[in-house]
Amino acid sequence: MTESAGGQGGGSGRLRTPVEGALRAVRSLVELEDTDRAAQLYEELGDAQRERIRHEAEQGPAKERRGFVEVLRRARDFLGAARLMDGQGEDATAGDLYFQSGKYMAAAESYLRAGDAERAAAAFERGGALERALAIYQELGSREAMAQCLVRLDRPFEAATLYRELGQAHAEVEALGGVRAEDPRFVEAVLRICQLLDAEGFTHRALAVLADAVSSSEDARGDPALVTEKARLLRRMGMEAEAEAMLIRRSGGASAPAANGYRFLKAIPIFGELSLEDMKDLYRLARQVVIAPGAVLLEKGAPGLGLFVLMDGSVDVFSGPEEDARHLNTLGPGAYLGEISLVQDGPVSAHVRARTSVRALRISRVDFERFVDTHEAAALRIFRLFTQNLAGRVRALSA
């Protein structure tokens, strides 16, 4: 026998459905502030029941809505929680929830309403709305972020101009490397790359770039500016006879190898699964720094400064800053320091001082966080490998 409206069902005037019962149960737990049990019950319901509960919650008073938001957040229904937050005057929180649910465009709009333009731009960038992100970065004057967007929008010359203004020669080279052979300004890009590499001491790499350009473009092959530049570079290397011969032969070459900094950065284990595009984006974020002999690179006990990748010179690692501190190691080109500070706060565990003049790449934690915020697949790979490497260290210490 079914339960009638006049029987045990009370005076509701209709039969109670399982959805209504579940809604009443969740609502009662919310009123009791028993968020964990409410979240568990919500998780156990089917999609249709959860949708009905969300709909009913939207019609409830503000206090009850906030309770349901916490239940949905605890149940990891970030999208449902975000929609409950919409229009409640807490746009920043709604933006965070939309971001967690992968709805980056909705997150960006929420951040804009909250007045957080920088996070809105990052969300637009991650969601693929690069033009909107670029417009916001322009308003903010965030030139590095603008340059990254321009690279991803296939506007390499504009990106290169910004990197030049920022004094980041290696990033300018990377940006100009994206200019295709059919571009009318291809020769201009090649010449600028050669000048930058030569100025950094990579004359042989400049020659390889130039040779590759000549072999890949019919127009470049006969361009007198490239021939003259090639001869200049050969003379810079003391190859006068070859320079004269090159003016006649114009021989081609192989693809330009990556600069040391890129190769060393790519070799770091936590970046071992990044795609070529993501790896290039990360490399453009790095800044070249020069540390004088005897200068402290990392101070034990101080906050981490981000990742350092040594390209030239060597550093000494000590147990502390004291004069009698134990010497732990000497590191040279290809070594890296401070990678843990990219993903967590904490004091530096060793004291590192430059033994010689050191040239290094540095990626700050702020720049790295912006990278992972706008490169979802790369972030997942980095954090997975970081966790595996950390687990390996723990096992080694335990053994």
Side-chain angles (χ1 to χ4, degrees):
M1 179 181 295
T2 60
E3 184 178 295
S4 68
Q8 293 179 333
S12 63
R14 58 185 175 84
L15 298 179
R16 296 203 181 279
T17 67
V19 174
E20 291 169 326
L23 177 59
R24 285 170 58 86
V26 174
R27 179 172 284 147
S28 296
L29 291 169
V30 169
E31 291 173 355
L32 293 170
E33 298 184 358
D34 192 345
T35 306
D36 287 335
R37 288 179 61 195
Q40 182 179 351
L41 176 57
Y42 181 81
E43 290 168 350
E44 292 170 356
L45 298 175
D47 290 343
Q49 291 176 305
R50 290 198 297 270
E51 183 178 357
R52 174 70 182 279
I53 285 176
R54 291 192 299 268
H55 177 72
E56 293 291 337
E58 288 176 359
Q59 315 306 315
K63 182 178 179 181
E64 185 177 79
R65 285 168 66 98
R66 284 194 293 272
F68 272 102
V69 166
E70 187 55 36
V71 169
L72 269 60
R73 190 206 301 262
R74 195 73 59 89
R76 300 185 185 179
D77 182 359
F78 301 122
L79 180 57
R83 287 171 174 165
L84 284 180
M85 293 292 294
D86 258 343
Q88 301 304 301
E90 298 183 49
D91 293 309
T93 303
D96 291 342
L97 291 166
Y98 275 126
F99 198 92
Q100 285 181 285
S101 70
K103 300 297 183 181
Y104 303 119
M105 302 300 288
E109 298 293 353
S110 293
Y111 288 140
L112 281 179
R113 289 193 295 273
D116 194 339
E118 188 170 354
R119 296 181 73 187
F124 277 131
E125 186 178 355
R126 186 156 178 175
L130 297 176
E131 292 287 1
R132 291 200 66 181
L134 178 61
I136 295 173
Y137 286 139
Q138 286 174 326
E139 291 178 4
L140 294 172
S142 301
R143 293 190 293 172
E144 283 194 53
M146 288 169 57
Q148 287 278 25
C149 275
L150 288 166
V151 168
R152 297 178 69 185
L153 285 165
D154 198 21
R155 292 158 64 178
F157 272 101
E158 294 172 73
T161 298
L162 285 173
Y163 284 129
R164 186 182 311 178
E165 293 171 359
L166 291 165
Q168 297 182 27
H170 72 287
E172 185 182 352
V173 168
E174 287 296 315
L176 291 172
V179 178
R180 296 179 176 84
E182 59 271 18
D183 192 301
R185 300 178 66 185
F186 178 66
V187 170
E188 179 185 342
V190 172
L191 288 172
R192 177 63 181 166
I193 289 173
C194 290
Q195 292 164 6
L196 289 168
L197 289 175
D198 182 40
E200 291 289 319
F202 300 121
T203 306
H204 64 293
R205 293 189 177 93
L207 275 168
V209 168
L210 204 153
D212 183 59
V214 169
S215 65
S216 63
S217 168
E218 189 68 36
D219 292 336
R221 188 170 297 122
D223 191 282
L226 291 185
V227 175
T228 301
E229 176 66 4
K230 197 168 192 177
R232 184 188 73 81
L233 293 172
L234 286 170
R235 291 191 181 100
R236 284 265 293 158
M237 297 180 69
M239 302 168 68
E240 295 288 342
E242 288 84 349
E244 295 302 321
M246 277 294 182
L247 290 171
I248 300 172
R249 291 189 291 113
R250 303 177 184 176
S251 64
S255 299
N260 283 341
Y262 178 78
R263 188 172 74 247
F264 290 150
L265 187 66
K266 178 183 175 183
I268 296 176
I270 61 172
F271 304 142
E273 293 185 0
L274 295 193
S275 67
L276 175 62
E277 293 78 10
D278 288 343
M279 195 68 235
K280 293 287 188 178
D281 283 350
L282 180 63
Y283 178 58
R284 280 190 291 272
L285 284 177
R287 297 170 181 266
Q288 288 197 34
V289 294
V290 176
I291 299 99
V296 174
L297 188 66
L298 295 175
E299 182 178 358
K300 183 174 181 178
L305 299 175
L307 172 69
F308 288 88
V309 184
L310 305 186
M311 295 191 291
D312 293 304
S314 60
V315 300
D316 287 321
V317 183
F318 297 94
S319 59
E322 303 84 8
E323 289 188 8
D324 60 347
R326 186 159 55 96
H327 180 261
L328 302 176
N329 204 353
T330 297
L331 304 174
Y336 55 93
L337 304 155
E339 75 278 11
I340 292 178
S341 70
L342 291 177
V343 296
Q344 67 179 34
D345 287 319
V348 175
S349 59
H351 201 74
V352 182
R353 189 162 54 238
R355 173 186 282 260
T356 66
S357 177
V358 171
R359 190 165 60 92
L361 284 180
R362 180 193 171 207
I363 298 178
S364 70
R365 183 172 181 181
V366 171
D367 286 338
F368 181 75
E369 285 178 342
R370 184 162 61 79
F371 173 79
V372 297
D373 278 347
T374 55
H375 295 72
E376 182 175 13
L380 290 173
R381 293 185 177 113
I382 288 170
F383 286 117
R384 180 169 61 80
L385 290 177
F386 179 84
T387 303
Q388 290 175 354
N389 289 339
L390 185 60
R393 292 183 184 181
V394 172
R395 284 195 298 270
L397 289 173
S398 301

